[in-house]
Amino acid sequence: MAAMRSMREVAALLVGGVVEQDLYSLGGEALVLVYPRSTGKVISVVGQGWAPAGATIEYYAERGKDLDGEGLDPAVIPGALHAALTVLEQWGTMSFEQVAARAIEYAEQGFPLRPRTAAAHHAQPEIL
């Protein structure tokens, strides 16, 4: 049963990346908690982004930049998909294609927007 829940969590993460892009995306970060009965422990898979090796304190200091800035300098390599793939690799009972099927369906065929998202789009049509 724990493995099936893990598959649902991965599927939900993938679907959320399609239907809730205003809240988060697959190009972001994700934390997945897994409870394999064989270990009797909760395991966290941290899909947090990491910075490239060249992004050192010296790199930023030489350029007069900090990590609070905008643009590519403070950006990290996204970790959400890595977390999902790690869960599938370690505890998966389904293929990536199987757990991604609904997300792909929504991406191809569309989905209803949440009322709050629709209102935001209506209020700011220039962002479309």
Side-chain angles (χ1 to χ4, degrees):
M1 193 67 157
M4 182 55 100
R5 282 192 205 117
S6 297
M7 298 307 95
R8 281 188 245 157
E9 290 169 356
V10 171
L13 185 140
L14 297 173
V15 166
V18 173
V19 304
E20 295 185 333
Q21 291 179 22
D22 57 319
L23 299 177
Y24 79 98
S25 75
L26 296 176
E29 301 173 339
L31 172 65
V32 182
L33 298 176
V34 182
Y35 181 80
R37 290 185 184 185
S38 61
T39 66
K41 296 187 289 187
V42 174
I43 299 171
S44 64
V45 179
V46 180
Q48 188 149 7
W50 58 92
T56 64
I57 292 171
E58 293 77 23
Y59 172 88
Y60 289 100
E62 289 170 3
R63 290 161 180 76
K65 297 183 179 245
D66 60 32
L67 295 177
D68 294 330
E70 294 179 354
L72 294 177
D73 285 321
V76 296
I77 298 169
L81 279 178
H82 186 262
L85 294 172
T86 298
V87 170
L88 289 176
E89 180 182 310
Q90 297 292 317
W91 302 282
T93 58
M94 300 170 72
S95 69
F96 181 79
E97 290 78 13
Q98 290 172 305
V99 296
R102 184 57 58 99
I104 292 168
E105 179 183 319
Y106 286 143
E108 290 178 344
Q109 298 177 15
F111 53 90
L113 292 177
R114 294 182 330 275
R116 190 168 126 192
T117 305
H121 284 287
H122 182 72
Q124 298 180 315
E126 69 278 1
I127 66 171
L128 299 175

